[in-house]
Amino acid sequence: GIQVEQSPPDLILQEGANSTLRCNFSDSVNNLQWFHQNPWGQLINLFYIPSGTKQNGRLSATTVATERYSLLYISSSQTTDSGVYFCAVLPYNQGGKLIFGQGTELSVKP
Amino acid sequence: KAGVTQTPRYLIKTRGQQVTLSCSPISGHRSVSWYQQTPGQGLQFLFEYFSETQRNKGNFPGRFSGRQFSNSRSEMNVSTLELGDSALYLCASSLDGLRHEQYFGPGTRLTVT
């Protein structure tokens, strides 16, 4: 089946720093989403981005579908950005089955 | 619009018991998917329902089952609970589960003792 790899697994930043999280996937996909998991476990939608570039405030994402990777950029990080970031892909012909990466755990220090 | 709701939020059960979890999707959404999250295995797909039919199933034993009602609400059931079933169970809803974004509920945290 399709493999989803996220890097780095852990990231520690000083408040105000910028970061780039990467998601590689092993086959063509129907769509791709980025999520932030809050301390209570809920997955918060960040981007639905099967291809192209999107921006939302300090966050932006780019997916290059032909090269099978996506990047999540966080600029001017804040302590509230801490948590786990997941990339998830939807393979073709598998209904609504999202395949998740293992996540990047981000810690932003004041 | 109200988001995805899950009940109960927390549950403690004993080995051998069974449990039923409930998920109410966003109004108008017809696809509901269930996921299990554990520290060791990460987020894993359990099954997806669309228009009351199971459309896809993950690699879980038959003790895990689900259903969807005509109003798109879904339930999942785990019978003969094992310690390893302790996890956060998340459900997601989507318009059709294929070309639309999936939105997740707050989850049910199940502890099996």
Side-chain angles (χ1 to χ4, degrees):
Chain A
I2 194 168
Q3 303 295 316
V4 182
E5 294 182 359
Q6 291 186 243
S7 60
D10 303 281
L11 188 57
I12 300 174
L13 296 175
Q14 217 46 46
E15 201 168 25
N18 303 329
S19 62
T20 301
L21 282 57
R22 187 177 180 101
C23 172
N24 292 333
F25 44 99
S26 60
D27 204 349
S28 300
V29 298
N30 210 358
N31 75 47
L32 184 146
Q33 291 186 243
W34 283 96
F35 298 93
H36 177 209
Q37 189 164 39
N38 69 20
W40 298 272
Q42 180 151 14
L43 289 170
I44 308 300
N45 289 43
L46 296 177
F47 293 101
Y48 168 77
I49 187 166
S51 64
T53 298
K54 290 186 177 179
Q55 179 152 10
N56 184 4
R58 295 181 297 104
L59 273 59
S60 64
T62 295
T63 297
V64 184
T66 53
E67 297 187 22
R68 299 179 187 165
Y69 74 88
S70 184
L71 302 173
L72 177 68
Y73 305 95
I74 305 174
S75 64
S76 305
S77 57
Q78 301 175 357
T79 56
T80 52
D81 294 332
S82 297
V84 184
Y85 290 80
F86 288 101
C87 159
V89 302
L90 190 72
Y92 286 105
N93 303 320
Q94 292 197 41
K97 177 180 179 178
L98 280 176
I99 307 296
F100 283 82
Q102 289 300 305
T104 291
E105 183 157 12
L106 174 64
S107 179
V108 182
K109 306 294 187 186
Chain B
K1 269 187 180 177
V4 181
T5 58
Q6 291 186 245
T7 57
R9 295 292 311 279
Y10 303 91
L11 207 48
I12 300 175
K13 290 285 189 178
T14 304
R15 258 184 315 176
Q17 289 185 315
Q18 70 145 17
V19 67
T20 299
L21 313 182
S22 181
C23 172
S24 292
I26 293 169
S27 177
H29 285 194
R30 296 168 64 193
S31 166
V32 174
S33 299
W34 289 89
Y35 297 83
Q36 180 197 65
Q37 186 177 26
T38 59
Q41 299 298 316
L43 278 149
Q44 292 188 290
F45 172 81
L46 281 155
F47 28 66
E48 183 218 4
Y49 287 86
F50 179 77
S51 292
E52 302 178 66
T53 301
Q54 188 180 87
R55 185 160 62 177
N56 206 343
K57 189 177 189 304
N59 296 324
F60 280 81
R63 299 185 297 107
F64 292 81
S65 63
R67 59 178 175 168
Q68 187 180 34
F69 302 95
S70 59
N71 62 358
S72 293
R73 188 177 71 86
S74 177
E75 289 181 347
M76 68 163 279
N77 184 77
V78 188
S79 61
T80 320
L81 284 165
E82 301 177 0
L83 295 178
D85 297 333
S86 294
L88 179 66
Y89 290 88
L90 294 161
C91 90
S93 86
S94 168
L95 276 169
D96 69 356
L98 297 176
R99 281 172 288 279
H100 295 88
E101 201 166 351
Q102 291 196 25
Y103 297 87
F104 282 79
T108 295
R109 195 167 294 278
L110 172 65
T111 302
V112 182
T113 62

